[in-house]
Amino acid sequence: MAIDRGKLLARFLQEAREQCAGMERGLLSLEGNPGDRETLDAVCRSAHTIKGSARMMKFPALSSVAHRMEDVLDALKSGRLTPTQAISSLLFRGVDAIAGMLDRIADGADAPGEAGELCAQLEQAASGEKGD
């Protein structure tokens, strides 16, 4: 039995967009209440879900952005990173990048683009380093 990639892709896009919307709602909530562990956990789970699904669908750039976002969220959860407006803005940029990649995939792009600079910034933030 052959796998219908079109159906699988449609399901991936639907779920990833739902996860993306959930991350955006969660990040908005965290701006007003950065100590809300339940919301932080939910946003982290969404990033993790997108990371794994994108990897399975062979969208490495999308998976990388979600992975780096997950690293930042894990650093926030562990207390290695303090919530700031800069961190919040960076995470929102990650959500926007993921949404843009999903749109390009839906429009038929084989590869949804590169996000090397954003991934580097997320990685730098997760490590606690100060950016320029």
Side-chain angles (χ1 to χ4, degrees):
M1 180 174 162
I3 295 175
D4 184 341
R5 175 135 171 106
K7 284 184 181 179
L8 195 58
L9 182 60
R11 182 70 178 151
F12 162 74
L13 289 169
Q14 177 186 0
E15 288 185 2
R17 285 181 171 142
E18 289 170 5
Q19 295 293 337
C20 220
M23 283 195 304
E24 189 167 28
R25 283 190 306 274
L27 290 172
L28 284 169
S29 177
L30 287 169
E31 283 188 326
N33 187 7
D36 182 349
R37 179 63 181 229
E38 187 175 317
T39 299
L40 186 56
D41 286 343
V43 173
C44 196
R45 277 191 307 276
S46 290
H48 181 79
T49 299
I50 291 172
K51 174 187 76 174
S53 297
R55 185 174 293 151
M56 183 178 65
M57 293 298 296
K58 302 205 182 323
F59 296 120
L62 180 54
S63 181
S64 291
V65 173
H67 186 169
R68 298 300 169 231
M69 288 181 68
E70 186 180 20
D71 290 345
V72 172
L73 294 161
D74 281 339
L76 288 168
K77 285 171 40 173
S78 71
R80 289 181 290 119
L81 191 60
T82 303
T84 64
Q85 184 59 45
I87 295 296
S88 180
S89 293
L90 187 58
L91 289 168
F92 276 112
R93 283 184 45 221
V95 172
D96 289 346
I98 289 171
M101 289 179 182
L102 293 172
D103 288 344
R104 286 190 292 285
I105 292 167
D107 289 341
D110 288 334
E114 291 298 318
E117 183 179 333
L118 176 59
C119 285
Q121 292 170 350
L122 286 162
E123 188 172 1
Q124 185 177 44
S127 71
E129 295 176 24
K130 299 291 184 212
D132 292 334

